Amino acid sequence: MTQTGEKLQVAAASAAQRELREEAGLDAASMLFLHRSVCGATVDWDLYYFVAEDWRELADGPEPEVGEDITVTWLSPAETIEACLDGTVSEERSALVLLRLLMDGR
């Protein structure tokens, strides 16, 4: 990975940690890099995926930004696979990354 790529990954991990606190009401001791999804050669819209390690629930819960309507829902691995396949997880790149993660664990 290039130095620029490493800087992007560090920045993405920091953003993931912040989003975890704001949107799920969780804090993680560390964020383990899982995958980078590259959109294509002519579109610059990579998505970085992380696994939150040693997480805990925050007393205040989620704190979404103004205009965000977020409901935290806990799903089993089987329910998550179904949500990826039936379109409940509507961002298809994210659904594929989740499926790969969960299918590797079988």
Side-chain angles (χ1 to χ4, degrees):
M1 182 178 296
T2 66
Q3 192 170 26
T4 300
E6 290 172 8
K7 286 181 182 179
L8 281 173
Q9 188 171 315
V10 168
S14 177
Q17 179 75 273
R18 184 176 59 255
E19 292 296 316
L20 183 68
R21 283 191 303 272
E22 290 174 2
E23 297 186 3
L26 302 173
D27 187 42
S30 63
M31 301 298 283
L32 174 67
F33 175 73
L34 177 64
H35 181 73
R36 180 180 74 137
S37 174
V38 179
C39 190
T42 60
V43 176
D44 188 19
W45 186 32
D46 296 350
L47 297 178
Y48 289 78
Y49 296 87
F50 296 87
V51 174
E53 296 185 307
D54 299 320
W55 55 267
R56 65 178 179 82
E57 292 185 53
L58 297 172
D60 295 339
E63 296 181 6
E65 294 179 11
V66 174
E68 288 183 321
D69 183 19
I70 297 169
T71 302
V72 177
T73 304
W74 293 95
L75 302 175
S76 69
E79 291 170 322
T80 304
I81 290 169
E82 182 62 30
C84 289
L85 294 174
D86 72 12
T88 300
V89 177
S90 60
E91 207 291 306
E92 292 177 344
R93 290 196 286 168
S94 296
L96 179 58
V97 171
L98 280 169
L99 285 171
R100 286 179 178 161
L101 175 66
L102 293 169
M103 301 301 273
D104 284 346
R106 286 187 171 189

PDB file of all heavy atoms in Angstrom, residues 61-100:
ATOM      1  N   GLY A  61     -26.228   6.434  24.048  1.00  0.00           N
ATOM      2  CA  GLY A  61     -26.759   5.826  22.834  1.00  0.00           C
ATOM      3  C   GLY A  61     -26.322   6.567  21.582  1.00  0.00           C
ATOM      4  O   GLY A  61     -25.434   7.425  21.616  1.00  0.00           O
ATOM      5  N   PRO A  62     -26.965   6.265  20.460  1.00  0.00           N
ATOM      6  CA  PRO A  62     -26.616   6.923  19.195  1.00  0.00           C
ATOM      7  C   PRO A  62     -26.892   8.420  19.229  1.00  0.00           C
ATOM      8  O   PRO A  62     -27.792   8.873  19.934  1.00  0.00           O
ATOM      9  CB  PRO A  62     -27.533   6.245  18.172  1.00  0.00           C
ATOM     10  CG  PRO A  62     -27.987   4.987  18.821  1.00  0.00           C
ATOM     11  CD  PRO A  62     -27.997   5.251  20.293  1.00  0.00           C
ATOM     12  N   GLU A  63     -26.116   9.174  18.463  1.00  0.00           N
ATOM     13  CA  GLU A  63     -26.310  10.617  18.328  1.00  0.00           C
ATOM     14  C   GLU A  63     -26.228  10.983  16.849  1.00  0.00           C
ATOM     15  O   GLU A  63     -25.250  11.570  16.396  1.00  0.00           O
ATOM     16  CB  GLU A  63     -25.257  11.370  19.134  1.00  0.00           C
ATOM     17  CG  GLU A  63     -25.370  11.128  20.629  1.00  0.00           C
ATOM     18  CD  GLU A  63     -24.328  11.900  21.429  1.00  0.00           C
ATOM     19  OE1 GLU A  63     -23.579  12.706  20.853  1.00  0.00           O
ATOM     20  OE2 GLU A  63     -24.272  11.676  22.646  1.00  0.00           O
ATOM     21  N   PRO A  64     -27.263  10.606  16.076  1.00  0.00           N
ATOM     22  CA  PRO A  64     -27.221  10.879  14.631  1.00  0.00           C
ATOM     23  C   PRO A  64     -27.189  12.377  14.341  1.00  0.00           C
ATOM     24  O   PRO A  64     -27.628  13.186  15.158  1.00  0.00           O
ATOM     25  CB  PRO A  64     -28.500  10.240  14.103  1.00  0.00           C
ATOM     26  CG  PRO A  64     -29.379  10.050  15.293  1.00  0.00           C
ATOM     27  CD  PRO A  64     -28.488   9.986  16.495  1.00  0.00           C
ATOM     28  N   GLU A  65     -26.654  12.706  13.172  1.00  0.00           N
ATOM     29  CA  GLU A  65     -26.611  14.095  12.745  1.00  0.00           C
ATOM     30  C   GLU A  65     -28.020  14.565  12.399  1.00  0.00           C
ATOM     31  O   GLU A  65     -28.924  13.746  12.156  1.00  0.00           O
ATOM     32  CB  GLU A  65     -25.703  14.226  11.517  1.00  0.00           C
ATOM     33  CG  GLU A  65     -24.244  13.931  11.825  1.00  0.00           C
ATOM     34  CD  GLU A  65     -23.359  14.033  10.594  1.00  0.00           C
ATOM     35  OE1 GLU A  65     -23.821  14.530   9.548  1.00  0.00           O
ATOM     36  OE2 GLU A  65     -22.204  13.597  10.680  1.00  0.00           O
ATOM     37  N   VAL A  66     -28.212  15.858  12.370  1.00  0.00           N
ATOM     38  CA  VAL A  66     -29.505  16.437  12.020  1.00  0.00           C
ATOM     39  C   VAL A  66     -29.932  15.902  10.646  1.00  0.00           C
ATOM     40  O   VAL A  66     -29.151  15.875   9.701  1.00  0.00           O
ATOM     41  CB  VAL A  66     -29.427  17.982  11.993  1.00  0.00           C
ATOM     42  CG1 VAL A  66     -30.734  18.580  11.490  1.00  0.00           C
ATOM     43  CG2 VAL A  66     -29.077  18.515  13.377  1.00  0.00           C
ATOM     44  N   GLY A  67     -31.161  15.438  10.577  1.00  0.00           N
ATOM     45  CA  GLY A  67     -31.701  14.927   9.317  1.00  0.00           C
ATOM     46  C   GLY A  67     -31.535  13.419   9.128  1.00  0.00           C
ATOM     47  O   GLY A  67     -32.144  12.844   8.239  1.00  0.00           O
ATOM     48  N   GLU A  68     -30.710  12.780   9.963  1.00  0.00           N
ATOM     49  CA  GLU A  68     -30.540  11.328   9.853  1.00  0.00           C
ATOM     50  C   GLU A  68     -31.631  10.627  10.669  1.00  0.00           C
ATOM     51  O   GLU A  68     -31.881  10.985  11.809  1.00  0.00           O
ATOM     52  CB  GLU A  68     -29.172  10.889  10.373  1.00  0.00           C
ATOM     53  CG  GLU A  68     -28.023  11.272   9.485  1.00  0.00           C
ATOM     54  CD  GLU A  68     -26.695  10.755  10.002  1.00  0.00           C
ATOM     55  OE1 GLU A  68     -26.467  10.775  11.226  1.00  0.00           O
ATOM     56  OE2 GLU A  68     -25.885  10.333   9.159  1.00  0.00           O
ATOM     57  N   ASP A  69     -32.254   9.644  10.061  1.00  0.00           N
ATOM     58  CA  ASP A  69     -33.274   8.845  10.732  1.00  0.00           C
ATOM     59  C   ASP A  69     -32.732   7.420  10.794  1.00  0.00           C
ATOM     60  O   ASP A  69     -32.845   6.659   9.834  1.00  0.00           O
ATOM     61  CB  ASP A  69     -34.590   8.906   9.962  1.00  0.00           C
ATOM     62  CG  ASP A  69     -35.703   8.142  10.663  1.00  0.00           C
ATOM     63  OD1 ASP A  69     -35.580   7.876  11.874  1.00  0.00           O
ATOM     64  OD2 ASP A  69     -36.679   7.801   9.983  1.00  0.00           O
ATOM     65  N   ILE A  70     -32.114   7.072  11.922  1.00  0.00           N
ATOM     66  CA  ILE A  70     -31.416   5.798  12.050  1.00  0.00           C
ATOM     67  C   ILE A  70     -32.022   4.997  13.196  1.00  0.00           C
ATOM     68  O   ILE A  70     -32.219   5.521  14.290  1.00  0.00           O
ATOM     69  CB  ILE A  70     -29.910   6.021  12.306  1.00  0.00           C
ATOM     70  CG1 ILE A  70     -29.279   6.735  11.118  1.00  0.00           C
ATOM     71  CG2 ILE A  70     -29.206   4.695  12.585  1.00  0.00           C
ATOM     72  CD1 ILE A  70     -27.877   7.224  11.366  1.00  0.00           C
ATOM     73  N   THR A  71     -32.312   3.736  12.907  1.00  0.00           N
ATOM     74  CA  THR A  71     -32.763   2.803  13.933  1.00  0.00           C
ATOM     75  C   THR A  71     -31.739   1.683  14.014  1.00  0.00           C
ATOM     76  O   THR A  71     -31.443   1.037  13.004  1.00  0.00           O
ATOM     77  CB  THR A  71     -34.147   2.210  13.578  1.00  0.00           C
ATOM     78  OG1 THR A  71     -35.082   3.272  13.430  1.00  0.00           O
ATOM     79  CG2 THR A  71     -34.616   1.256  14.654  1.00  0.00           C
ATOM     80  N   VAL A  72     -31.174   1.469  15.190  1.00  0.00           N
ATOM     81  CA  VAL A  72     -30.191   0.399  15.380  1.00  0.00           C
ATOM     82  C   VAL A  72     -30.954  -0.902  15.577  1.00  0.00           C
ATOM     83  O   VAL A  72     -31.849  -0.989  16.423  1.00  0.00           O
ATOM     84  CB  VAL A  72     -29.280   0.680  16.596  1.00  0.00           C
ATOM     85  CG1 VAL A  72     -28.325  -0.474  16.822  1.00  0.00           C
ATOM     86  CG2 VAL A  72     -28.524   1.990  16.389  1.00  0.00           C
ATOM     87  N   THR A  73     -30.604  -1.899  14.774  1.00  0.00           N
ATOM     88  CA  THR A  73     -31.244  -3.209  14.841  1.00  0.00           C
ATOM     89  C   THR A  73     -30.169  -4.276  14.904  1.00  0.00           C
ATOM     90  O   THR A  73     -29.235  -4.264  14.090  1.00  0.00           O
ATOM     91  CB  THR A  73     -32.123  -3.445  13.592  1.00  0.00           C
ATOM     92  OG1 THR A  73     -33.069  -2.392  13.484  1.00  0.00           O
ATOM     93  CG2 THR A  73     -32.841  -4.773  13.665  1.00  0.00           C
ATOM     94  N   TRP A  74     -30.266  -5.174  15.873  1.00  0.00           N
ATOM     95  CA  TRP A  74     -29.314  -6.275  15.997  1.00  0.00           C
ATOM     96  C   TRP A  74     -29.872  -7.481  15.251  1.00  0.00           C
ATOM     97  O   TRP A  74     -31.023  -7.861  15.448  1.00  0.00           O
ATOM     98  CB  TRP A  74     -29.078  -6.618  17.460  1.00  0.00           C
ATOM     99  CG  TRP A  74     -28.371  -5.521  18.177  1.00  0.00           C
ATOM    100  CD1 TRP A  74     -28.931  -4.525  18.912  1.00  0.00           C
ATOM    101  CD2 TRP A  74     -26.967  -5.275  18.179  1.00  0.00           C
ATOM    102  NE1 TRP A  74     -27.961  -3.677  19.390  1.00  0.00           N
ATOM    103  CE2 TRP A  74     -26.741  -4.117  18.952  1.00  0.00           C
ATOM    104  CE3 TRP A  74     -25.873  -5.918  17.613  1.00  0.00           C
ATOM    105  CZ2 TRP A  74     -25.475  -3.596  19.179  1.00  0.00           C
ATOM    106  CZ3 TRP A  74     -24.606  -5.400  17.844  1.00  0.00           C
ATOM    107  CH2 TRP A  74     -24.421  -4.252  18.613  1.00  0.00           C
ATOM    108  N   LEU A  75     -29.052  -8.059  14.370  1.00  0.00           N
ATOM    109  CA  LEU A  75     -29.444  -9.229  13.591  1.00  0.00           C
ATOM    110  C   LEU A  75     -28.462 -10.366  13.825  1.00  0.00           C
ATOM    111  O   LEU A  75     -27.267 -10.132  14.004  1.00  0.00           O
ATOM    112  CB  LEU A  75     -29.458  -8.903  12.090  1.00  0.00           C
ATOM    113  CG  LEU A  75     -30.367  -7.770  11.617  1.00  0.00           C
ATOM    114  CD1 LEU A  75     -30.147  -7.519  10.134  1.00  0.00           C
ATOM    115  CD2 LEU A  75     -31.816  -8.098  11.892  1.00  0.00           C
ATOM    116  N   SER A  76     -28.962 -11.576  13.772  1.00  0.00           N
ATOM    117  CA  SER A  76     -28.091 -12.745  13.818  1.00  0.00           C
ATOM    118  C   SER A  76     -27.359 -12.848  12.480  1.00  0.00           C
ATOM    119  O   SER A  76     -27.760 -12.199  11.493  1.00  0.00           O
ATOM    120  CB  SER A  76     -28.929 -14.012  14.031  1.00  0.00           C
ATOM    121  OG  SER A  76     -29.705 -14.280  12.861  1.00  0.00           O
ATOM    122  N   PRO A  77     -26.306 -13.648  12.400  1.00  0.00           N
ATOM    123  CA  PRO A  77     -25.649 -13.830  11.099  1.00  0.00           C
ATOM    124  C   PRO A  77     -26.629 -14.293  10.012  1.00  0.00           C
ATOM    125  O   PRO A  77     -26.601 -13.777   8.894  1.00  0.00           O
ATOM    126  CB  PRO A  77     -24.574 -14.870  11.386  1.00  0.00           C
ATOM    127  CG  PRO A  77     -24.218 -14.628  12.831  1.00  0.00           C
ATOM    128  CD  PRO A  77     -25.546 -14.295  13.482  1.00  0.00           C
ATOM    129  N   ALA A  78     -27.512 -15.238  10.330  1.00  0.00           N
ATOM    130  CA  ALA A  78     -28.480 -15.730   9.333  1.00  0.00           C
ATOM    131  C   ALA A  78     -29.431 -14.616   8.890  1.00  0.00           C
ATOM    132  O   ALA A  78     -29.741 -14.489   7.699  1.00  0.00           O
ATOM    133  CB  ALA A  78     -29.262 -16.913   9.899  1.00  0.00           C
ATOM    134  N   GLU A  79     -29.887 -13.804   9.838  1.00  0.00           N
ATOM    135  CA  GLU A  79     -30.769 -12.683   9.496  1.00  0.00           C
ATOM    136  C   GLU A  79     -30.038 -11.641   8.657  1.00  0.00           C
ATOM    137  O   GLU A  79     -30.623 -11.033   7.760  1.00  0.00           O
ATOM    138  CB  GLU A  79     -31.312 -12.033  10.768  1.00  0.00           C
ATOM    139  CG  GLU A  79     -32.290 -12.897  11.535  1.00  0.00           C
ATOM    140  CD  GLU A  79     -32.622 -12.341  12.906  1.00  0.00           C
ATOM    141  OE1 GLU A  79     -31.711 -11.801  13.584  1.00  0.00           O
ATOM    142  OE2 GLU A  79     -33.792 -12.464  13.310  1.00  0.00           O
ATOM    143  N   THR A  80     -28.757 -11.442   8.933  1.00  0.00           N
ATOM    144  CA  THR A  80     -27.963 -10.483   8.164  1.00  0.00           C
ATOM    145  C   THR A  80     -27.786 -10.968   6.725  1.00  0.00           C
ATOM    146  O   THR A  80     -27.906 -10.183   5.780  1.00  0.00           O
ATOM    147  CB  THR A  80     -26.600 -10.246   8.833  1.00  0.00           C
ATOM    148  OG1 THR A  80     -26.814  -9.809  10.178  1.00  0.00           O
ATOM    149  CG2 THR A  80     -25.788  -9.202   8.084  1.00  0.00           C
ATOM    150  N   ILE A  81     -27.527 -12.249   6.556  1.00  0.00           N
ATOM    151  CA  ILE A  81     -27.410 -12.820   5.208  1.00  0.00           C
ATOM    152  C   ILE A  81     -28.716 -12.609   4.447  1.00  0.00           C
ATOM    153  O   ILE A  81     -28.719 -12.170   3.295  1.00  0.00           O
ATOM    154  CB  ILE A  81     -27.018 -14.311   5.266  1.00  0.00           C
ATOM    155  CG1 ILE A  81     -25.566 -14.441   5.745  1.00  0.00           C
ATOM    156  CG2 ILE A  81     -27.218 -14.988   3.908  1.00  0.00           C
ATOM    157  CD1 ILE A  81     -25.136 -15.858   6.094  1.00  0.00           C
ATOM    158  N   GLU A  82     -29.844 -12.900   5.091  1.00  0.00           N
ATOM    159  CA  GLU A  82     -31.150 -12.714   4.451  1.00  0.00           C
ATOM    160  C   GLU A  82     -31.368 -11.245   4.086  1.00  0.00           C
ATOM    161  O   GLU A  82     -31.856 -10.930   3.001  1.00  0.00           O
ATOM    162  CB  GLU A  82     -32.273 -13.214   5.359  1.00  0.00           C
ATOM    163  CG  GLU A  82     -33.651 -13.103   4.744  1.00  0.00           C
ATOM    164  CD  GLU A  82     -33.829 -13.927   3.481  1.00  0.00           C
ATOM    165  OE1 GLU A  82     -33.178 -14.981   3.335  1.00  0.00           O
ATOM    166  OE2 GLU A  82     -34.623 -13.500   2.611  1.00  0.00           O
ATOM    167  N   ALA A  83     -30.988 -10.321   4.983  1.00  0.00           N
ATOM    168  CA  ALA A  83     -31.150  -8.891   4.706  1.00  0.00           C
ATOM    169  C   ALA A  83     -30.297  -8.452   3.517  1.00  0.00           C
ATOM    170  O   ALA A  83     -30.702  -7.590   2.735  1.00  0.00           O
ATOM    171  CB  ALA A  83     -30.796  -8.071   5.948  1.00  0.00           C
ATOM    172  N   CYS A  84     -29.135  -9.057   3.356  1.00  0.00           N
ATOM    173  CA  CYS A  84     -28.282  -8.754   2.203  1.00  0.00           C
ATOM    174  C   CYS A  84     -28.912  -9.273   0.914  1.00  0.00           C
ATOM    175  O   CYS A  84     -28.868  -8.614  -0.126  1.00  0.00           O
ATOM    176  CB  CYS A  84     -26.896  -9.374   2.382  1.00  0.00           C
ATOM    177  SG  CYS A  84     -25.895  -8.583   3.654  1.00  0.00           S
ATOM    178  N   LEU A  85     -29.498 -10.456   0.970  1.00  0.00           N
ATOM    179  CA  LEU A  85     -30.059 -11.088  -0.222  1.00  0.00           C
ATOM    180  C   LEU A  85     -31.412 -10.517  -0.632  1.00  0.00           C
ATOM    181  O   LEU A  85     -31.726 -10.466  -1.826  1.00  0.00           O
ATOM    182  CB  LEU A  85     -30.175 -12.604  -0.012  1.00  0.00           C
ATOM    183  CG  LEU A  85     -28.852 -13.345   0.134  1.00  0.00           C
ATOM    184  CD1 LEU A  85     -29.099 -14.808   0.477  1.00  0.00           C
ATOM    185  CD2 LEU A  85     -28.000 -13.209  -1.119  1.00  0.00           C
ATOM    186  N   ASP A  86     -32.210 -10.061   0.344  1.00  0.00           N
ATOM    187  CA  ASP A  86     -33.549  -9.569  -0.013  1.00  0.00           C
ATOM    188  C   ASP A  86     -33.594  -8.067  -0.285  1.00  0.00           C
ATOM    189  O   ASP A  86     -34.645  -7.509  -0.548  1.00  0.00           O
ATOM    190  CB  ASP A  86     -34.585  -9.974   1.038  1.00  0.00           C
ATOM    191  CG  ASP A  86     -34.483  -9.216   2.368  1.00  0.00           C
ATOM    192  OD1 ASP A  86     -33.756  -8.200   2.452  1.00  0.00           O
ATOM    193  OD2 ASP A  86     -35.143  -9.651   3.333  1.00  0.00           O
ATOM    194  N   GLY A  87     -32.448  -7.403  -0.201  1.00  0.00           N
ATOM    195  CA  GLY A  87     -32.395  -5.977  -0.525  1.00  0.00           C
ATOM    196  C   GLY A  87     -32.590  -5.054   0.666  1.00  0.00           C
ATOM    197  O   GLY A  87     -32.550  -3.834   0.506  1.00  0.00           O
ATOM    198  N   THR A  88     -32.799  -5.607   1.858  1.00  0.00           N
ATOM    199  CA  THR A  88     -32.909  -4.755   3.046  1.00  0.00           C
ATOM    200  C   THR A  88     -31.627  -3.955   3.229  1.00  0.00           C
ATOM    201  O   THR A  88     -31.666  -2.770   3.558  1.00  0.00           O
ATOM    202  CB  THR A  88     -33.204  -5.609   4.306  1.00  0.00           C
ATOM    203  OG1 THR A  88     -34.439  -6.307   4.094  1.00  0.00           O
ATOM    204  CG2 THR A  88     -33.317  -4.744   5.539  1.00  0.00           C
ATOM    205  N   VAL A  89     -30.478  -4.610   3.021  1.00  0.00           N
ATOM    206  CA  VAL A  89     -29.203  -3.886   2.939  1.00  0.00           C
ATOM    207  C   VAL A  89     -29.142  -3.393   1.501  1.00  0.00           C
ATOM    208  O   VAL A  89     -28.831  -4.152   0.582  1.00  0.00           O
ATOM    209  CB  VAL A  89     -27.996  -4.793   3.286  1.00  0.00           C
ATOM    210  CG1 VAL A  89     -26.693  -4.023   3.118  1.00  0.00           C
ATOM    211  CG2 VAL A  89     -28.118  -5.351   4.691  1.00  0.00           C
ATOM    212  N   SER A  90     -29.498  -2.134   1.300  1.00  0.00           N
ATOM    213  CA  SER A  90     -29.722  -1.634  -0.054  1.00  0.00           C
ATOM    214  C   SER A  90     -28.452  -1.200  -0.785  1.00  0.00           C
ATOM    215  O   SER A  90     -28.462  -1.108  -2.014  1.00  0.00           O
ATOM    216  CB  SER A  90     -30.718  -0.476  -0.032  1.00  0.00           C
ATOM    217  OG  SER A  90     -30.215   0.580   0.768  1.00  0.00           O
ATOM    218  N   GLU A  91     -27.380  -0.951  -0.078  1.00  0.00           N
ATOM    219  CA  GLU A  91     -26.124  -0.568  -0.728  1.00  0.00           C
ATOM    220  C   GLU A  91     -25.435  -1.878  -1.106  1.00  0.00           C
ATOM    221  O   GLU A  91     -24.928  -2.598  -0.262  1.00  0.00           O
ATOM    222  CB  GLU A  91     -25.268   0.273   0.224  1.00  0.00           C
ATOM    223  CG  GLU A  91     -24.318   1.235  -0.465  1.00  0.00           C
ATOM    224  CD  GLU A  91     -23.179   0.536  -1.197  1.00  0.00           C
ATOM    225  OE1 GLU A  91     -22.484  -0.269  -0.573  1.00  0.00           O
ATOM    226  OE2 GLU A  91     -23.004   0.790  -2.402  1.00  0.00           O
ATOM    227  N   GLU A  92     -25.460  -2.199  -2.399  1.00  0.00           N
ATOM    228  CA  GLU A  92     -25.064  -3.529  -2.849  1.00  0.00           C
ATOM    229  C   GLU A  92     -23.604  -3.876  -2.577  1.00  0.00           C
ATOM    230  O   GLU A  92     -23.289  -5.026  -2.280  1.00  0.00           O
ATOM    231  CB  GLU A  92     -25.404  -3.701  -4.322  1.00  0.00           C
ATOM    232  CG  GLU A  92     -26.912  -3.744  -4.524  1.00  0.00           C
ATOM    233  CD  GLU A  92     -27.332  -3.848  -5.972  1.00  0.00           C
ATOM    234  OE1 GLU A  92     -26.494  -3.594  -6.876  1.00  0.00           O
ATOM    235  OE2 GLU A  92     -28.505  -4.183  -6.193  1.00  0.00           O
ATOM    236  N   ARG A  93     -22.710  -2.896  -2.646  1.00  0.00           N
ATOM    237  CA  ARG A  93     -21.313  -3.209  -2.319  1.00  0.00           C
ATOM    238  C   ARG A  93     -21.189  -3.613  -0.859  1.00  0.00           C
ATOM    239  O   ARG A  93     -20.477  -4.554  -0.517  1.00  0.00           O
ATOM    240  CB  ARG A  93     -20.392  -2.017  -2.633  1.00  0.00           C
ATOM    241  CG  ARG A  93     -20.240  -1.775  -4.131  1.00  0.00           C
ATOM    242  CD  ARG A  93     -19.068  -0.877  -4.426  1.00  0.00           C
ATOM    243  NE  ARG A  93     -19.342   0.509  -4.077  1.00  0.00           N
ATOM    244  CZ  ARG A  93     -18.407   1.455  -4.032  1.00  0.00           C
ATOM    245  NH1 ARG A  93     -17.140   1.178  -4.278  1.00  0.00           N
ATOM    246  NH2 ARG A  93     -18.720   2.693  -3.749  1.00  0.00           N
ATOM    247  N   SER A  94     -21.909  -2.931   0.004  1.00  0.00           N
ATOM    248  CA  SER A  94     -21.881  -3.281   1.431  1.00  0.00           C
ATOM    249  C   SER A  94     -22.495  -4.653   1.669  1.00  0.00           C
ATOM    250  O   SER A  94     -21.987  -5.440   2.472  1.00  0.00           O
ATOM    251  CB  SER A  94     -22.621  -2.227   2.250  1.00  0.00           C
ATOM    252  OG  SER A  94     -21.958  -0.977   2.142  1.00  0.00           O
ATOM    253  N   ALA A  95     -23.584  -4.959   0.969  1.00  0.00           N
ATOM    254  CA  ALA A  95     -24.203  -6.279   1.108  1.00  0.00           C
ATOM    255  C   ALA A  95     -23.214  -7.374   0.717  1.00  0.00           C
ATOM    256  O   ALA A  95     -23.094  -8.389   1.414  1.00  0.00           O
ATOM    257  CB  ALA A  95     -25.465  -6.360   0.248  1.00  0.00           C
ATOM    258  N   LEU A  96     -22.478  -7.171  -0.359  1.00  0.00           N
ATOM    259  CA  LEU A  96     -21.513  -8.178  -0.797  1.00  0.00           C
ATOM    260  C   LEU A  96     -20.386  -8.356   0.215  1.00  0.00           C
ATOM    261  O   LEU A  96     -19.999  -9.485   0.528  1.00  0.00           O
ATOM    262  CB  LEU A  96     -20.935  -7.806  -2.167  1.00  0.00           C
ATOM    263  CG  LEU A  96     -19.894  -8.773  -2.732  1.00  0.00           C
ATOM    264  CD1 LEU A  96     -20.460 -10.176  -2.871  1.00  0.00           C
ATOM    265  CD2 LEU A  96     -19.376  -8.260  -4.064  1.00  0.00           C
ATOM    266  N   VAL A  97     -19.873  -7.275   0.759  1.00  0.00           N
ATOM    267  CA  VAL A  97     -18.800  -7.365   1.761  1.00  0.00           C
ATOM    268  C   VAL A  97     -19.307  -8.106   2.995  1.00  0.00           C
ATOM    269  O   VAL A  97     -18.614  -8.971   3.547  1.00  0.00           O
ATOM    270  CB  VAL A  97     -18.249  -5.966   2.116  1.00  0.00           C
ATOM    271  CG1 VAL A  97     -17.302  -6.030   3.302  1.00  0.00           C
ATOM    272  CG2 VAL A  97     -17.525  -5.369   0.902  1.00  0.00           C
ATOM    273  N   LEU A  98     -20.529  -7.786   3.448  1.00  0.00           N
ATOM    274  CA  LEU A  98     -21.106  -8.501   4.590  1.00  0.00           C
ATOM    275  C   LEU A  98     -21.277  -9.983   4.289  1.00  0.00           C
ATOM    276  O   LEU A  98     -20.961 -10.847   5.124  1.00  0.00           O
ATOM    277  CB  LEU A  98     -22.457  -7.892   4.965  1.00  0.00           C
ATOM    278  CG  LEU A  98     -22.438  -6.622   5.793  1.00  0.00           C
ATOM    279  CD1 LEU A  98     -23.830  -6.000   5.838  1.00  0.00           C
ATOM    280  CD2 LEU A  98     -21.935  -6.900   7.191  1.00  0.00           C
ATOM    281  N   LEU A  99     -21.789 -10.303   3.101  1.00  0.00           N
ATOM    282  CA  LEU A  99     -21.960 -11.712   2.731  1.00  0.00           C
ATOM    283  C   LEU A  99     -20.632 -12.456   2.738  1.00  0.00           C
ATOM    284  O   LEU A  99     -20.537 -13.572   3.261  1.00  0.00           O
ATOM    285  CB  LEU A  99     -22.618 -11.831   1.356  1.00  0.00           C
ATOM    286  CG  LEU A  99     -24.111 -11.540   1.305  1.00  0.00           C
ATOM    287  CD1 LEU A  99     -24.593 -11.482  -0.148  1.00  0.00           C
ATOM    288  CD2 LEU A  99     -24.896 -12.581   2.092  1.00  0.00           C
ATOM    289  N   ARG A 100     -19.608 -11.845   2.157  1.00  0.00           N
ATOM    290  CA  ARG A 100     -18.292 -12.488   2.147  1.00  0.00           C
ATOM    291  C   ARG A 100     -17.784 -12.722   3.564  1.00  0.00           C
ATOM    292  O   ARG A 100     -17.270 -13.792   3.878  1.00  0.00           O
ATOM    293  CB  ARG A 100     -17.289 -11.635   1.376  1.00  0.00           C
ATOM    294  CG  ARG A 100     -17.472 -11.681  -0.114  1.00  0.00           C
ATOM    295  CD  ARG A 100     -16.459 -10.784  -0.786  1.00  0.00           C
ATOM    296  NE  ARG A 100     -16.570 -10.844  -2.228  1.00  0.00           N
ATOM    297  CZ  ARG A 100     -16.074  -9.929  -3.041  1.00  0.00           C
ATOM    298  NH1 ARG A 100     -15.410  -8.878  -2.550  1.00  0.00           N
ATOM    299  NH2 ARG A 100     -16.207 -10.044  -4.345  1.00  0.00           N
TER     300      ARG A 100
END
